[in-house]
């Protein structure tokens, strides 16, 4: 069963992935990524864990502020997290987090969709 503490942990982990000081350290990012991680970026690119880890390390900046986090349990070990990035350009974001056998939450999928207005 997903607890309120689990939901808070997922949000905390997502915020870590948005923190430039964490993004700049490949090992810190890799710890949060599921081995089968895939991202469908707002740019239209598709990223795997190795590529996204390298890209974030090379350019750890974030384009805006993350707001309106909304975690929802989909099953006892899966959480869908949606939120917005406000800035230029703004975007809608969604992530799927799964709890692995070590009771650690890892991001399995992420998608960003650019907004035409913010």
């Amino acid at each position: 069963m997903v607890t309120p503490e689990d939901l808070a942990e997922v949000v905390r982990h997502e915020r870590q992935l948005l923190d430039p000081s964490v993004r700049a350290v490949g090992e810190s990012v890799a710890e949060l990524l599921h081995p089968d991680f895939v991202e469908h970026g707002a740019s239209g690119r598709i990223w795997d864990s190795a590529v996204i880890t390298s890209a974030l390390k090379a350019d750890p900046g974030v384009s805006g502020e993350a707001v309106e986090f909304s975690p929802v349990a989909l099953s006892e070990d899966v959480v869908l997290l949606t939120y917005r990035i406000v800035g230029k350009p703004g975007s809608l974001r969604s992530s799927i987090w799964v709890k692995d056998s070590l009771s650690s939450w890892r991001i399995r999928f992420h998608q960003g969709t650019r907004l035409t207005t913010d």
Side-chain angles (χ1 to χ4, degrees):
M1 180 172 135
V2 176
T3 66
E5 292 79 17
D6 287 322
L7 297 176
E9 183 178 356
V10 165
V11 171
R12 185 176 61 79
H13 285 328
E14 188 83 35
R15 286 185 179 279
Q16 287 176 314
L17 288 172
L18 295 168
D19 181 337
S21 66
V22 172
R23 293 161 72 101
V25 180
E27 296 80 16
S28 296
V29 170
E31 288 176 10
L32 295 169
L33 301 182
H34 187 278
D36 297 324
F37 172 81
V38 174
E39 176 174 339
H40 292 186
S43 65
R45 289 188 63 184
I46 297 176
W47 312 75
D48 64 16
S49 59
V51 174
I52 197 70
T53 300
S54 295
L56 293 179
K57 188 174 181 178
D59 183 11
V62 179
S63 63
E65 178 188 0
V67 297
E68 300 175 15
F69 286 91
S70 180
V72 176
L74 299 180
S75 73
E76 65 185 38
D77 57 357
V78 178
V79 170
L80 170 65
L81 177 63
T82 58
Y83 60 100
R84 298 170 52 96
I85 297 288
V86 226
K88 296 291 179 193
S91 60
L92 300 175
R93 303 294 178 107
S94 59
S95 299
I96 296 176
W97 288 81
V98 297
K99 198 170 200 179
D100 67 19
S101 61
L102 301 174
S103 297
S104 176
W105 288 97
R106 293 180 159 210
I107 188 169
R108 173 64 177 82
F109 177 81
H110 181 78
Q111 180 164 353
T113 303
R114 281 204 176 118
L115 295 173
T116 55
T117 60
D118 221 355

